[in-house]
């Protein structure tokens, strides 16, 4: 019988029942959404982190000492046994590739190369001429196309080379059976080794590609490197695997293996932890808002049923039976809403997985979701009891009153608790500076709730006072609106709900806006250009020349170098750029001063005075008035190239009189830079000497060189030792006296003493705000720089580093360093949008091999799926859902008791008030009801965002994440405000429709 009455009541109040059901479903969905979305987002972070990593970062490898006689096959078998014994690790890795390598010297120029065996290598190369090597035959080798050209090797001919063993060489002979190009240099097949570099002719240079064999017996050096590498299977690592897998691999690495995967998993878990910590910040207030709107709906429905409940009591229902009668409908609806809410939460997560999460994310029905649904049903039933309790326990006669009594004391106690908690949370945030504790994280929702309470109280008091003022002034619409706002308890509740919801929307939109701005900024800074190729080249000159040949117009490609140095406990990145191409390709981060063109102009160094020597001979016409020394002395040319470093080329013994001194420079055909001239002592001698000479002309071959001999300051001495004193005068007159063994150097100053630099971050100097500093950059010694411009963030530099003129930096470093021997320099090609698809092939043809491709769009997409962005998507969804709930609550309030409201309007109309006046009163009522929370909630939301934005990871959860810029995007806030106003306009239109349907026939029923 009771169940029948309950179902009949639900059917009779089907409209209100649907509202209560929908609100309960939303509350259950909000509860389920937290664990469901959190797990899906964590899975997305894991998949993104592993899928975007290079294969060598996730592979598992085993190494063995070849001195012990272990070959690739032996190591492979041993590694397979280890992984078979550890299935928890082995199941995540694909079939291993074994290999070995040894250093060899080949060709007439004695170029250094690697002789490499890789299991199944023939499937990963393209044969240009000849055939691939046969694993069953010995003595067969494959040469890269450029390597074959360099050493003059022909297919089918014998080929001699030397194996390098502990610094000595052993002669060996093989047959070139073919030439090849790699099918894909980025393939996981090649493992951790960068086999593909630029061509060179020095013994320290590597060839463009290794010498390959498919027979492991061909690589026999005692110090050869033997490895087996197992690539990670795509999608094999699940969330439940991460912790144990990292520990197992670390244990395995202590034996014979190794992997970078555990460290990567640690970084991924840090992002997942940040995600877990930040989601409750918005999920909790959303859930509470859902429950509170449910509370309003149930309370309104229960109050409307007051006469029914009073009648039940008058007919003899006891307290228990009355409670069951009053709660039955709402409890049935909450119970029914639980599975629907579970499905809705799963559905939302499934949609999010398809729209914003990484590919392959699986949305699972797990026990955590069922537990959340159970909590939601308990919370919903508790909300139903709290919303109905006062009505159910009120005496029957009191329920028959038009206006029910108010529980002012209990409301005041609850408000006092909210005020106290908000004060403590704000103290922690503002005074203690703690934005990470549990209570501090609740500062934003508590502040929103406090604002809601304030609006509710203030609106009620203001409305009651406005009634009399409007009546005295004769403003009827204002009086009607104030009377409605002041006497209806539900209106007070509504204003609080609206304020909290709009505060949540303002908070979410502001945080999202700041994060979106910073994601773009960080993507631009990290990428530097729309696309960046990480490349291999033998030296910076090969890189610059290769880019110039691949893009002769200079419109879509730029050579760049990067090197990191450690200063004051932090990494400092030095990036060399080409100022003539930088504006065409670079992305200058948002919010930083200047433009790419202005930055290029500030770092550009005039190099028009540089002297390039191409030979085959370099000469100097010299008049020596004094050459006094007991030992022979000579004049030398001081030249350099980035690929060989500085060198001194003898020009002949110094003698008094006028003569021409000559130096053979056959290796300068591609261009050497003249650094200066040197007065050289006889090696090891330190007898006193005196030299006076004047250089009247310099010749590159037979071509006169404009060396600015008469320009003051163009030629300067390099500070000599204490035992030597000299002067350099215009006209290049040199006078030197010395008694030590040091040579006397005169430097041609074609570059400034201090290169201009754009500096990101503090000055790398004791004076952290100074405009001058010296650091080791590309060269071997500290190099002075001037700060031409400061920036918070710079392309490929981040927050700590400098941008300098590439050519100026290279030639400055080449004074004391051979840059081809530097392993710390990273070579890059920055590529503009719209570059031709043939660029990579053109670079490869110019000796610049692409080994990695980085994209600004890929970086931005990755950041949009990083843990902070995934949490902020939920923030934004929560804000939108909160406003929808608030609008629903307004409509619910309008429809509950609608007949009584229409009765009042009809009575006022018959009393003589025009319909226009009544509509104006309704418009004013809802303009106040919606407008005040909109303004207050929006302001409080922005204020809360300002308080808490520094505690919320916006772009990355990493400890070294770039410091965000707290800047709002006005169009996003404007869009949110415009959509909210549009929704509110729809609400007012619907409410005015109720006014239009007020029928005088209602007077015959008394509005019931």
């Amino acid at each position: 019988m009771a169940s029948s009455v309950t179902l009949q009541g639900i059917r009779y109040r089907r409209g209100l029942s649907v509202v209560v059901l929908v609100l309960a479903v939303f509350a259950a969905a909000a509860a389920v959404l937290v664990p469901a979305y959190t797990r899906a987002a964590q899975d997305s972070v894991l998949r993104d982190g592993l899928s975007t990593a290079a294969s060598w970062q996730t592979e598992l490898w085993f190494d063995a000492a070849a001195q012990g006689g272990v070959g690739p096959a032996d190591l492979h078998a041993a590694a397979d046994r280890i992984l078979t014994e550890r299935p928890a690790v082995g199941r995540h890795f694909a079939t291993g590739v074994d290999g070995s390598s040894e250093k060899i010297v080949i060709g007439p120029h004695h170029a250094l190369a690697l002789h490499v065996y890789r299991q199944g290598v023939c499937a990963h190369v393209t044969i240009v001429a000849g055939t691939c090597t046969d694993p069953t035959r010995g003595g067969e080798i494959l040469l890269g196309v450029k390597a074959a050209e360099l050493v003059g090797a022909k297919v089918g001919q014998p080929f001699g080379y030397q194996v390098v063993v502990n610094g000595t060489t052993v002669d060996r002979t093989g047959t070139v059976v073919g030439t090849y190009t790699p099918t894909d240099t980025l393939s996981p097949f090649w493992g951790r080794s960068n086999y593909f570099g630029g061509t060179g002719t020095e013994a320290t240079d590597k060839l463009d590609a290794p010498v390959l064999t498919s027979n492991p017996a061909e690589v026999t050096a005692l110090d050869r490197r033997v490895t087996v590498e197992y690539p990670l299977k795509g999608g094999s690592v699940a969330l439940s695997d991460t912790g144990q897998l990292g520990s197992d691999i670390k244990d395995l690495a202590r034996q014979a293996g190794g992997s970078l995967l555990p460290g990567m998993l640690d970084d991924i878990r840090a992002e997942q932890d940040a995600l877990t910590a930040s989601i409750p910040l918005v999920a909790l207030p959303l859930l509470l808002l859902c429950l509170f709107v449910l509370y309003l709906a149930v309370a309104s429905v229960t109050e409307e049923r007051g006469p029914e409940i009073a009648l039940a009591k008058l007919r003899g229902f006891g307290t228990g039976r009355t409670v069951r009668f009053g709660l039955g409908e709402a409890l049935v609806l909450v119970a029914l809403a639980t599975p629907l809410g579970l499905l809705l939460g799963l559905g939302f997560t499934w949609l999010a997985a398809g729209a914003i999460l990484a590919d392959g994310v699986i949305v699972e029905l797990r026990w955590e979701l069922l537990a959340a649904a159970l909590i939601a049903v308990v919370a919903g039933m508790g909300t139903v009891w709290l919303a109905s309790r006062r009505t159910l326990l009120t005496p029957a006669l009191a329920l028959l009153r038009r206006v029910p009594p108010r529980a002012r004391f209990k409301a005041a106690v609850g408000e006092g608790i909210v005020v106290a908690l908000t004060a403590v949370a704000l103290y922690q945030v503002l005074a203690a500076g703690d934005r990470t504790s549990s209570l501090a994280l609740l500062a934003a929702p508590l502040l929103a709730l406090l604002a809601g309470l304030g609006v509710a109280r203030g609106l009620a008091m203001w409305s009651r006072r406005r009634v009399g003022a409007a009546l005295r002034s004769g403003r009827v619409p204002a009086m009607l609106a104030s009377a409605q706002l002041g006497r209806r308890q539900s209106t007070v509740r509504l204003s609080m709900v609206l304020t909290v919801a709009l505060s949540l929307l303002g908070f979410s939109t502001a945080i999202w806006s700041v994060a979106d701005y910073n994601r773009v900024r960080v993507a631009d800074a990290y990428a530097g250009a729309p696309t960046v190729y990480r490349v291999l080249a033998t030296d910076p000159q090969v890189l610059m020349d290769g880019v110039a040949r691949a893009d002769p117009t200079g419109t879509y490609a730029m050579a760049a170098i990067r090197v990191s140095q450690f200063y004051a406990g932090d990494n400092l990145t030095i990036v060399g750029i080409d100022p003539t191409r930088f504006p065409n390709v670079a992305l200058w981060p948002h919010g930083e001063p200047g433009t790419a063109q202005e930055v290029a102009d500030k770092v550009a160094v005039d190099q028009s005075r540089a002297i390039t020597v191409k030979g085959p001979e370099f000469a100097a016409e010299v008049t020596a008035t004094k050459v006094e020394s007991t030992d022979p002395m000579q004049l030398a040319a001081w030249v350099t190239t980035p690929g060989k470093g500085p060198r001194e080329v003898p020009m002949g013994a110094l003698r008094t009189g006028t003569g021409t001194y000559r130096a053979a420079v056959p290796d300068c055909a591609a261009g050497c830079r003249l650094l200066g001239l040197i007065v050289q002592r006889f090696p090891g001698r330190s007898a006193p000497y005196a030299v006076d000479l004047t250089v009247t002309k310099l010749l590159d071959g037979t071509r006169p060189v404009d060396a600015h001999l008469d320009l003051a300051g163009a030629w300067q001495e390099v500070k000599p030792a204490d035992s030597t004193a000299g002067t350099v005068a215009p006209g290049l007159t040199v006078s030197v006296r010395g008694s030590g063994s040091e040579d006397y150097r005169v430097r041609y100053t074609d570059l400034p003493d201090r290169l201009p630099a754009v500096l990101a971050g503090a000055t790398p100097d004791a004076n952290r705000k100074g405009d001058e500093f010296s650091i080791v950059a590309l060269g071997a010694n500290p190099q002075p720089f001037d700060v031409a411009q400061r920036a918070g963030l710079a392309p490929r530099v981040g927050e700590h580093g400098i941008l300098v003129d590439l050519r100026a930096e290279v030639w400055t470093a080449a004074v004391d360093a051979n840059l081809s021997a530097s392993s710390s320099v990273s070579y890059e090609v920055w590529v503009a949008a719209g570059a031709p698809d043939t660029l990579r092939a053109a670079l490869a043809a110019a000796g610049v091999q692409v080994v990695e491709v980085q994209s600004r769009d890929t970086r931005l997409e990755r950041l949009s799926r990083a843990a902070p962005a995934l949490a902020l998507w939920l923030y934004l969804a929560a804000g939108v859902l909160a406003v929808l709930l608030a609008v629903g609550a307004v409509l619910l309030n309008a429809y509950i008791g609608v007949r009584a409201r229409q009765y009042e309007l009809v009575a006022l109309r018959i009393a003589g008030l025009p319909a226009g006046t009544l509509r104006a009163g309704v418009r004013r009522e809802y303009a106040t009801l919606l407008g005040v929370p909109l303004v207050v909630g929006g302001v409080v939301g922005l204020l809360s965002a300002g308080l808490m934005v520094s505690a919320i990871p916006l772009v990355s959860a990493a400890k070294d994440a770039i410091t965000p810029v707290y800047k709002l995007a006005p169009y996003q806030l404007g869009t949110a405000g415009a959509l909210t106003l549009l929704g509110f306009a729809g609400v007012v239109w619907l409410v005015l429709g109720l006014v239009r349907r007020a029928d005088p026939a209602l007077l015959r029923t008394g509005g019931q």
Side-chain angles (χ1 to χ4, degrees):
M1 180 67 179
S3 60
S4 176
V5 172
T6 299
L7 295 177
Q8 288 178 11
I10 293 174
R11 187 163 53 249
Y12 175 73
R13 279 175 287 274
R14 62 177 67 87
L16 293 177
S17 297
V18 169
V19 171
V20 172
L21 177 65
V22 169
L23 293 174
V25 167
F26 273 117
V32 170
L33 188 61
V34 175
Y37 183 82
T38 299
R39 184 171 180 83
Q42 289 176 335
D43 190 21
S44 176
V45 169
L46 174 65
R47 291 175 184 273
D48 253 346
L50 295 181
S51 64
T52 57
S55 59
W56 56 269
Q57 293 177 303
T58 58
E59 71 175 20
L60 173 67
W61 71 81
F62 292 84
D63 289 319
Q67 292 90 335
V70 177
D74 300 326
L75 180 61
H76 200 155
D80 282 347
R81 284 194 300 271
I82 292 174
L83 292 182
T84 301
E85 295 169 357
R86 295 171 177 257
V89 175
R91 66 186 178 87
H92 296 292
F93 293 93
T95 303
V97 177
D98 59 62
S100 57
S101 63
E102 60 186 0
K103 294 178 182 178
I104 61 173
V105 176
I106 66 173
H109 298 294
H110 304 289
L112 182 64
L114 286 176
H115 188 201
V116 174
Y117 157 73
R118 295 290 289 179
Q119 181 186 12
V121 70
C122 291
H124 296 273
V125 297
T126 301
I127 301 300
V128 178
T131 63
C132 194
T133 60
D134 190 332
T136 63
R137 291 200 295 265
E140 295 185 348
I141 59 175
L142 279 176
L143 285 178
V145 173
K146 286 189 173 295
E149 294 174 358
L150 177 67
V151 301
K154 303 294 183 183
V155 174
Q157 294 182 352
F159 180 73
Y161 59 95
Q162 295 82 43
V163 179
V164 181
V165 180
N166 296 328
T168 63
T169 59
V170 178
D171 291 335
R172 199 179 288 170
T173 303
T175 300
V176 179
V177 298
T179 59
Y180 77 94
T181 58
T183 304
D184 181 8
T185 59
L186 306 182
S187 169
F189 172 79
W190 300 107
R192 294 170 291 148
S193 300
N194 283 327
Y195 291 120
F196 305 99
T199 58
T201 58
E202 293 295 304
T204 56
D205 292 337
K206 288 200 310 183
L207 297 181
D208 69 314
V211 178
L212 294 178
T213 179
S214 55
N215 188 340
E218 294 301 299
V219 182
T220 59
L222 293 177
D223 59 351
R224 69 186 183 276
R225 176 173 168 244
V226 181
T227 63
V228 181
E229 293 164 305
Y230 294 85
L232 183 70
K233 291 179 182 177
S236 70
V237 181
L239 277 176
S240 56
D241 299 324
T242 54
Q244 189 60 44
L245 180 60
S247 300
D248 290 344
I249 293 178
K250 288 178 182 178
D251 292 339
L252 197 60
R254 297 188 183 99
Q255 299 180 21
S259 178
L260 301 178
L261 184 57
M264 180 169 291
L265 292 177
D266 289 341
D267 293 339
I268 290 173
R269 277 197 298 274
E271 281 202 61
Q272 292 171 337
D273 292 342
L275 185 70
T276 305
S278 58
I279 283 181
L281 180 61
V282 69
L284 180 60
L286 176 62
L287 177 60
L288 293 178
L289 184 64
C290 290
L291 293 175
F292 189 71
V293 174
L294 177 63
Y295 173 91
L296 293 182
V298 174
S300 298
V301 172
T302 307
E303 288 177 4
E304 188 181 66
R305 293 185 61 201
E308 296 179 25
I309 296 171
L311 182 60
K313 290 185 176 185
L314 292 175
R315 293 185 59 137
F317 278 35
T319 301
R321 193 176 178 187
T322 302
V323 169
R324 288 193 298 272
F325 172 73
L327 296 181
E329 296 177 19
L331 292 179
V332 168
L333 293 172
V334 169
L336 179 61
T338 302
L340 297 177
L342 177 62
L343 294 176
L344 181 62
L346 282 172
F348 179 86
T349 307
W350 181 79
L351 290 175
I356 61 175
L357 302 184
D359 293 337
V361 170
I362 300 173
V363 180
E364 303 173 295
L365 180 60
R366 296 170 54 86
W367 69 267
E368 295 97 332
L369 276 63
L370 298 175
L374 180 61
I375 293 173
V377 72
V378 172
M381 290 182 175
T383 301
V384 168
W385 164 246
L386 290 175
S388 307
R389 181 175 177 272
R390 190 181 66 186
T391 300
L392 294 175
L393 300 181
T394 300
L397 293 179
L399 291 175
L400 296 176
R401 295 174 55 191
R402 276 270 182 193
V403 180
R406 300 178 181 179
R408 299 181 182 275
F409 175 74
K410 294 179 180 179
V413 171
E415 292 169 5
I417 294 174
V418 172
V419 170
L421 289 175
T422 305
V424 174
L426 290 177
Y427 174 81
Q428 284 192 297
V429 171
L430 298 176
D434 178 10
R435 288 174 167 82
T436 58
S437 66
S438 299
L439 188 57
L441 289 174
L442 291 176
L446 284 173
L447 194 60
L449 184 56
L450 181 63
L453 292 172
V455 167
R457 287 291 185 184
L459 190 59
M461 291 188 293
W462 178 83
S463 299
R464 286 193 291 271
R465 292 183 180 179
R466 290 285 297 171
V467 170
L471 187 61
R472 287 191 296 273
S473 62
R475 290 177 292 144
V476 177
M479 185 270 293
L480 293 175
S482 299
Q484 287 292 337
L485 292 172
R487 74 183 183 88
R488 298 185 67 190
Q489 183 69 16
S490 59
T491 302
V492 174
R493 296 168 181 166
L494 268 181
S495 61
M496 181 172 65
V497 170
L498 284 166
T499 304
V500 173
L502 290 165
S503 176
L504 184 58
L505 177 64
F507 175 81
S508 303
T509 305
I511 294 292
W512 175 264
S513 174
V514 174
D516 187 54
Y517 178 86
N518 280 276
R519 274 195 299 273
V520 174
R521 184 169 174 266
V522 169
D524 288 349
Y526 269 117
T531 304
V532 174
Y533 297 154
R534 191 172 65 84
V535 300
L536 295 178
T538 54
D539 61 64
Q541 191 62 54
V542 170
L543 172 68
M544 291 185 286
D545 292 345
V547 171
R549 287 198 293 272
D551 174 24
T553 63
T555 57
Y556 54 81
M558 181 193 77
I561 56 173
R562 294 176 71 209
V563 62
S564 292
Q565 303 291 358
F566 198 71
Y567 183 88
D570 199 1
N571 284 322
L572 186 75
T573 303
I574 299 99
V575 174
I577 62 171
D578 184 342
T580 62
R581 296 171 179 246
F582 184 77
N584 296 329
V585 302
L587 298 172
W588 188 246
H590 288 273
E592 296 303 325
T595 64
Q597 182 63 62
E598 293 172 353
V599 169
D601 293 341
K602 289 183 178 180
V603 302
V605 175
D606 181 12
Q607 299 180 60
S608 60
R609 286 172 46 189
I611 298 176
T612 300
V613 176
K614 294 188 175 181
E617 182 181 77
F618 177 73
E621 294 184 3
V622 177
T623 298
T625 57
K626 178 182 288 187
V627 179
E628 296 180 354
S629 175
T630 58
D631 303 309
M633 302 191 70
Q634 68 177 0
L635 188 67
W638 185 15
V639 297
T640 188
T641 57
K644 294 183 179 180
R647 51 196 182 277
E648 303 166 6
V649 186
M651 301 182 70
L654 277 172
R655 56 192 180 277
T656 57
T658 300
T660 301
Y661 295 79
R662 304 179 186 278
V665 285
D667 57 350
C668 285
C672 296
R673 195 141 177 168
L674 180 66
L675 296 178
L677 298 173
I678 305 175
V679 177
Q680 289 185 327
R681 299 294 315 270
F682 192 84
R685 303 300 177 84
S686 58
Y689 71 92
V691 174
D692 294 329
L693 59 84
T694 300
V695 179
T696 57
K697 183 185 291 186
L698 296 178
L699 299 168
D700 179 20
T702 59
R703 300 176 297 277
V705 174
D706 182 10
H708 301 90
L709 299 178
D710 296 325
L711 180 65
W715 292 80
Q716 298 178 2
E717 70 172 3
V718 177
K719 183 173 174 56
D722 293 340
S723 59
T724 303
T727 59
V728 179
L732 197 47
T733 298
V734 178
S735 178
V736 58
R737 307 289 186 271
S739 58
S741 60
E742 295 83 5
D743 298 334
Y744 184 75
R745 298 171 182 266
V746 179
R747 171 79 187 276
Y748 177 58
T749 58
D750 56 342
L751 293 171
D753 292 336
R754 312 181 73 88
L755 294 185
V758 171
L759 173 66
T763 305
D765 188 78
N767 180 8
R768 303 294 277 172
K769 296 182 179 180
D771 292 330
E772 296 180 353
F773 60 93
S774 294
I775 57 171
V776 176
L778 287 185
N781 298 309
Q783 178 182 337
F785 293 92
D786 281 330
V787 178
Q789 178 178 313
R790 291 184 179 272
L793 205 60
R796 303 294 285 175
V797 164
E799 294 181 298
H800 307 285
I802 61 172
L803 296 177
V804 295
D805 187 314
L806 171 61
R807 293 184 182 276
E809 175 58 28
V810 165
W811 287 113
T812 301
V815 172
D816 58 17
N818 175 7
L819 299 183
S820 68
S822 176
S823 60
S824 62
V825 179
S826 176
Y827 297 142
E828 299 176 343
V829 177
W830 296 12
V831 184
D837 296 335
T838 57
L839 178 60
R840 289 181 63 176
L843 289 170
V848 179
Q849 185 69 53
V850 177
V851 296
E852 185 180 353
V853 179
Q854 301 174 4
S855 165
R856 181 262 189 191
D857 290 343
T858 301
R859 181 77 184 187
L860 184 59
E861 182 183 1
R862 174 69 181 88
L863 290 175
S864 69
R865 292 200 304 269
L870 296 181
L872 294 177
W873 272 114
L874 188 60
Y875 279 41
L876 202 57
V880 173
L881 182 58
V883 174
L884 291 177
L885 285 171
V887 169
V890 174
L891 291 176
L892 175 66
N893 181 69
Y895 277 92
I896 291 178
V898 62
R899 292 179 65 82
R901 182 69 184 275
Q902 289 173 338
Y903 172 84
E904 295 175 357
L905 293 173
V906 170
L908 292 171
R909 178 71 182 277
I910 292 177
L913 289 180
T917 301
L918 296 179
R919 287 195 295 270
V922 174
R923 284 196 296 267
R924 183 181 290 268
E925 174 189 346
Y926 278 88
T928 304
L929 176 63
L930 301 176
V932 173
L934 178 63
V935 174
V936 175
V939 171
V940 171
L942 294 178
L943 178 61
S944 301
L947 288 175
M948 300 307 300
V949 69
S950 61
I952 300 172
L954 298 176
V955 178
S956 172
K959 293 181 180 178
D960 59 348
I962 287 178
T963 304
V965 172
Y966 301 120
K967 183 175 181 179
L968 292 170
Y971 76 91
Q972 292 177 334
L973 293 176
T975 300
L979 291 176
T980 302
L981 287 174
L982 186 62
F984 284 176
V987 169
V988 175
W989 180 79
L990 290 174
V991 172
L992 288 175
L994 299 179
V995 176
R996 296 187 190 99
R997 291 198 296 269
D999 188 350
L1002 288 172
L1003 293 178
R1004 287 194 292 268
T1005 63
Q1008 298 301 315

